[in-house]
């Protein structure tokens, strides 16, 4: 497996990863937004992919704003590959990426109730819940991690300590 920067040639595979997670983790109405993101913003948001045997099996990005807030964006793992440590690998890579920027004060993300516990195990805290915020049956769970907690999250990133998900 290889973690590498996203290339526009990966768009079709990334959309397949998205599709594999509908309807449990993403609403189908979000697909057009994700496709626009891949076309217009993925490079700017340092989007990354995990590739195995020439196929993208996970992807996710990190935005960084002028106020010192980093944001996880469009993170996902091929549904058939859940609970194998790929989500943790991708999250830790993005945490390490954020840690490289000296002005970062906190990291934010919006996920659903189905992956909330995964991010809590990494050290994120719930800041707000919007019922049906990502679509019918998919609450928007907004989470944050202060930059001083990144070291804690990175310290539990070894494969042997990865919880089953």
């Amino acid at each position: 497996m290889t973690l590498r920067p996203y290339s526009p040639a990966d768009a079709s595979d990334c959309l397949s990863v998205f599709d594999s997670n509908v309807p449990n983790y993403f609403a189908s109405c979000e697909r057009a937004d994700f496709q626009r993101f891949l076309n217009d913003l993925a490079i700017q948001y340092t989007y990354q992919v995990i590739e195995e045997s020439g196929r993208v099996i996970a992807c996710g990005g990190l935005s960084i704003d002028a106020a010192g807030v980093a944001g996880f964006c469009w993170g996902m793992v091929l549904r058939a590959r859940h609970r194998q440590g790929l989500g943790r690998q991708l999250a830790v890579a993005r945490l390490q990426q954020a840690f490289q920027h000296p002005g970062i004060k906190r990291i934010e993300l919006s996920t659903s109730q189905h992956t909330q516990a995964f991010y809590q195990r990494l050290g994120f805290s719930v800041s707000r819940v919007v019922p049906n915020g990502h679509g019918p049956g998919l609450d928007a769970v907004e989470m944050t991690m202060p930059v001083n907690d990144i070291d804690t999250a990175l310290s539990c990133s070894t494969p042997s300590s990865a919880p089953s998900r």
Side-chain angles (χ1 to χ4, degrees):
M1 282 186 288
T2 305
L3 177 70
R4 63 169 176 77
Y6 169 85
S7 154
D10 298 320
S12 178
D13 279 353
C14 289
L15 288 166
S16 292
V17 172
F18 177 92
D19 292 341
S20 77
N21 284 286
V22 173
N24 294 349
Y25 297 93
F26 291 101
S28 59
C29 63
E30 294 178 284
R31 191 180 199 276
D33 290 338
F34 181 50
Q35 189 165 17
R36 265 190 303 280
F37 170 83
L38 292 173
N39 292 339
D40 301 337
L41 298 170
I43 303 297
Q44 174 185 335
Y45 283 20
T46 58
Y47 208 61
Q48 299 178 73
V49 300
I50 298 176
E51 182 181 56
E52 181 179 65
S53 302
R55 182 175 175 216
V56 173
I57 56 174
C59 46
L62 183 77
S63 64
I64 298 174
D65 71 17
V69 178
F72 277 22
C73 55
W74 292 110
M76 61 194 81
V77 174
L78 188 69
R79 180 70 183 105
R81 300 299 301 271
H82 284 199
R83 300 179 184 248
Q84 296 179 22
L86 297 169
R88 175 173 285 278
Q89 180 183 350
L90 188 60
V92 168
R94 293 185 287 171
L95 288 171
Q96 289 171 333
Q97 211 177 351
F99 194 66
Q100 299 300 315
H101 293 270
I104 299 299
K105 297 178 179 89
R106 72 180 180 280
I107 301 172
E108 298 178 343
L109 63 87
S110 182
T111 191
S112 75
Q113 71 272 27
H114 303 298
T115 51
Q116 171 184 340
F118 168 78
Y119 288 108
Q120 284 176 311
R121 286 191 297 270
L122 285 173
F124 284 88
S125 300
V126 175
S127 55
R128 184 171 83 136
V129 176
V130 179
N132 299 310
H134 287 302
L138 289 174
D139 298 344
V141 180
E142 296 175 7
M143 305 183 81
T144 61
M145 176 191 289
V147 76
N148 59 335
D149 289 347
I150 293 174
D151 286 332
T152 303
L154 294 176
S155 71
C156 63
S157 65
T158 60
S160 61
S161 66
S164 59
R165 182 169 133 32

